[in-house]
Amino acid sequence: MKTTLPVLLRGSQEFLTVEYQANTSAAESGFDVLDVPFPKEKCIGYPTMHAYFENMKLSGYKRYCGFLQIVKREEVKYGKTSQVLFYDAPGEYFYQIGNPFCAYGFPASFYDAPCCNLGDCDLLTWKAYTYLVDLPSRMNGDRLQFLAGFSWGYREDASGPLGLLDFEILSEQDWKEHMKFLSTLCPDLPK
């Protein structure tokens, strides 16, 4: 599935492209170069998501933006269901310094291909809430602002992936609800 989301950034109407599909190749998704604790082909059937700007009209600093991603793990273990929310930053270092951004740039693009996260539970629903944001800077009064959002994910059990979750467009209200959670983990994050 390939979709475009309208984005208004610094007065310019831009379009964020999102590609979301089941992973069909460890080499195509980059798992062939990752050091993972499972056979690399196990990624097949799990989702891949790539969000990027194909033809941005803005130039220079005006292109600056970033991505935040919050993940909800709904786990079923011994017949009991529990939920865990966390922000999805690249590596332990970003957690240590309180940086919740998973990508940023001129413009930002973001790729994610989660898999084999079942752990010790019987059933996992892994749902990502991905937000494109205008990063705090001199251009916007040092504010963090919602630009676009979408959710996606998958379900798995001990046999592997059970299917992808539906792709859904998120609203600014969804963003505000997730910001309440994120603000508790990253209190220095501008509002």
Side-chain angles (χ1 to χ4, degrees), residues 29-170:
S29 60
F31 273 84
D32 59 333
V33 297
L34 294 178
D35 181 19
V36 292
F38 51 82
K40 295 173 188 206
E41 293 74 29
K42 280 196 151 208
C43 68
I44 293 172
Y46 287 90
T48 66
M49 184 284 301
H50 187 200
Y52 58 94
F53 289 94
E54 282 187 83
N55 299 303
M56 185 177 257
K57 295 176 286 198
L58 290 171
S59 62
Y61 289 120
K62 294 176 275 192
R63 301 165 68 104
Y64 192 47
C65 57
F67 286 94
L68 284 164
Q69 183 164 273
I70 295 171
V71 173
K72 179 172 75 172
R73 283 181 60 96
E74 185 175 287
E75 303 175 354
V76 177
K77 186 174 175 181
Y78 308 119
K80 294 183 180 179
T81 302
S82 63
Q83 292 184 2
V84 176
L85 274 178
F86 60 94
Y87 66 86
D88 196 11
E92 217 173 284
Y93 176 73
F94 282 80
Y95 277 93
Q96 291 171 0
I97 64 171
N99 181 353
F101 298 101
C102 50
Y104 42 91
F106 299 92
S109 66
F110 179 44
Y111 179 78
D112 198 3
C115 74
C116 300
N117 287 305
L118 186 66
D120 64 349
C121 57
D122 302 317
L123 178 67
L124 170 66
T125 301
W126 188 100
K127 186 170 186 176
Y129 302 89
T130 306
Y131 294 101
L132 176 70
V133 295
D134 186 3
L135 295 166
S137 70
R138 293 179 183 179
M139 292 178 279
N140 66 11
D142 290 317
R143 293 177 310 186
L144 181 61
Q145 296 175 302
F146 169 88
L147 296 173
F150 54 93
S151 67
W152 59 284
Y154 67 96
R155 291 170 44 98
E156 76 175 308
D157 67 9
S159 65
L162 298 173
L164 304 187
L165 300 181
D166 290 339
F167 180 88
E168 298 175 353
I169 295 174
L170 300 174

Side-chain angles (χ1 to χ4, degrees), residues 170-188:
L170 300 174
S171 70
E172 190 164 2
Q173 186 57 42
D174 296 313
W175 160 251
K176 288 176 183 176
E177 289 300 314
H178 282 121
M179 273 305 294
K180 290 176 189 173
F181 161 74
L182 195 56
S183 294
T184 62
L185 297 177
C186 304
D188 294 332

Side-chain angles (χ1 to χ4, degrees), residues 5-15 58 134 146-148:
L5 302 176
V7 173
L8 185 62
L9 180 61
R10 290 182 236 307
S12 178
Q13 183 68 62
E14 304 290 349
F15 294 94
L58 290 171
D134 186 3
F146 169 88
L147 296 173

